[in-house]
Amino acid sequence: MKRFMLIAASCAVALPAFAQNIATVNGKAITEAELNNTVKALIARGAQDTPEFRKQLTEELINRAVLVQAAEKAGIAKKDEVALALNNAKQEILIASLLQDWSQKNQISDAEIQKTYDEIVKENANKKEYKVKHILVKDETAANKLLKSIKDKKAKFADVAKKESIDSGSGKDGGDLGWAPAENYVPEFANAVKAAKKGELVAKPVKSQFGWHIIQVEDERAAQAPKLEEVKPQIQQMLSQQALQKHMQSLRDGAKVEVTEKK
């Protein structure tokens, strides 16, 4: 018996009457259009369209037809839990197709993206970015000792970070966290950064959920806005999601809904 190959996509399509058959199972046809649509769906998921691949899919469609016919003959679809699952699957397909169709017909324009980008840039115009280094250790005593050794110039910040910091990501770079707004960090860390002066080593270790931080603010500058091209996909996705949510809410608001109260 041919082994079964799981197909990760289901394709429900209206087929023309003249569609060519690739096989029949107990007199019921499997059409070339069914195969083509299945191939198309799987190619979208990374598969390659080859003769061998089509041969395997043909066998899978035959196997599925055999099983579906057996299920129908056994009356499986009449079971309550199966009928409910089938109905739920139908609803999910209809909803996904409806929303996809609406989104395709209501594309976000470049003008909308530009407007949102300009608003974001304006909102962040007065914000700052900080170039920060830190050393993270587990306990306060160790943090104080290391901070003192750096202040007394007995050790260099970068060397201590490489040797002692439990933040391995920044530790290997001498504690460097690069440029970022303070809001990117946990509140305790962010507050210490904003309160520090440029070039200053924060006077005391700062405790956060991760441990104890020795912090140095090397520099600060006005927040640098990314170029539109860099953030256009994210803005487009955000606006699309917002538009879709608004559309779904309008459908709900326009529906007559009556909730039955339990007695």
Side-chain angles (χ1 to χ4, degrees), residues 85-102:
L86 289 172
N87 186 56
N88 288 341
K90 179 181 178 181
Q91 289 182 3
E92 290 176 5
I93 292 170
L94 287 173
I95 291 169
S97 298
L98 171 70
L99 298 181
Q100 183 181 30
D101 180 69
W102 186 90

Side-chain angles (χ1 to χ4, degrees), residues 86-253:
L86 289 172
N87 186 56
N88 288 341
K90 179 181 178 181
Q91 289 182 3
E92 290 176 5
I93 292 170
L94 287 173
I95 291 169
S97 298
L98 171 70
L99 298 181
Q100 183 181 30
D101 180 69
W102 186 90
S103 295
Q104 289 174 346
K105 293 176 180 177
N106 294 271
Q107 296 286 325
I108 302 300
S109 68
D110 286 344
E112 291 175 288
I113 294 172
Q114 181 70 58
K115 181 182 177 182
T116 301
Y117 171 78
D118 292 340
E119 290 172 352
I120 293 172
V121 170
K122 185 177 179 180
E123 288 173 4
N124 290 276
N126 297 321
K127 292 186 177 181
K128 290 183 177 180
E129 292 179 333
Y130 302 87
K131 192 172 190 302
V132 179
K133 295 193 300 186
H134 88 136
I135 299 166
L136 179 63
V137 295
K138 291 183 178 180
D139 63 84
E140 185 178 14
T141 300
N144 281 317
K145 287 182 178 179
L146 294 173
L147 177 59
K148 188 175 186 304
S149 69
I150 295 170
K151 284 183 175 181
D152 293 344
K153 300 188 184 302
K154 293 181 179 180
K156 293 181 179 180
F157 194 104
D159 293 337
V160 175
K162 290 176 182 178
K163 184 178 180 180
E164 303 291 346
S165 183
I166 59 175
D167 177 5
S168 57
S170 67
K172 62 181 176 58
D173 295 323
D176 187 16
L177 294 171
W179 287 96
E183 291 74 17
N184 278 23
Y185 305 116
V186 293
E188 303 90 346
F189 194 105
N191 292 336
V193 167
K194 287 188 286 188
K197 295 179 181 179
K198 187 170 82 170
E200 182 175 284
L201 187 64
V202 175
K204 294 181 179 180
V206 175
K207 187 178 186 303
S208 78
Q209 67 198 73
F210 304 107
W212 290 85
H213 305 264
I214 300 168
I215 303 171
Q216 184 172 23
V217 179
E218 292 190 295
D219 202 353
E220 64 180 52
R221 68 185 182 190
Q224 304 292 300
K227 294 180 180 180
L228 174 59
E229 293 75 18
E230 296 173 354
V231 294
K232 185 176 181 179
Q234 295 94 316
I235 294 176
Q236 186 174 33
Q237 183 179 24
M238 177 186 73
L239 293 178
S240 296
Q241 290 175 344
Q242 290 175 353
L244 191 58
Q245 287 292 331
K246 186 176 180 180
H247 175 61
M248 289 190 291
Q249 187 61 51
S250 71
L251 292 176
R252 173 61 191 261
D253 293 341

Side-chain angles (χ1 to χ4, degrees), residues 28-123:
K28 291 187 177 182
I30 300 173
T31 68
E32 188 173 10
E34 288 181 81
L35 175 62
N36 289 338
N37 278 280
T38 304
V39 170
K40 183 178 178 181
L42 292 173
I43 286 175
R45 295 168 182 256
Q48 291 186 340
D49 186 1
T50 65
E52 180 60 28
F53 183 60
R54 283 178 172 265
K55 183 178 179 180
Q56 291 176 350
L57 286 183
T58 299
E59 289 299 324
E60 171 61 12
L61 290 174
I62 292 170
N63 289 336
R64 289 201 306 180
V66 169
L67 294 175
V68 168
Q69 290 180 25
E72 290 172 343
K73 185 176 180 180
I76 299 299
K78 296 179 182 179
K79 291 186 176 182
D80 290 343
E81 65 273 19
V82 176
L84 179 60
L86 289 172
N87 186 56
N88 288 341
K90 179 181 178 181
Q91 289 182 3
E92 290 176 5
I93 292 170
L94 287 173
I95 291 169
S97 298
L98 171 70
L99 298 181
Q100 183 181 30
D101 180 69
W102 186 90
S103 295
Q104 289 174 346
K105 293 176 180 177
N106 294 271
Q107 296 286 325
I108 302 300
S109 68
D110 286 344
E112 291 175 288
I113 294 172
Q114 181 70 58
K115 181 182 177 182
T116 301
Y117 171 78
D118 292 340
E119 290 172 352
I120 293 172
V121 170
K122 185 177 179 180
E123 288 173 4

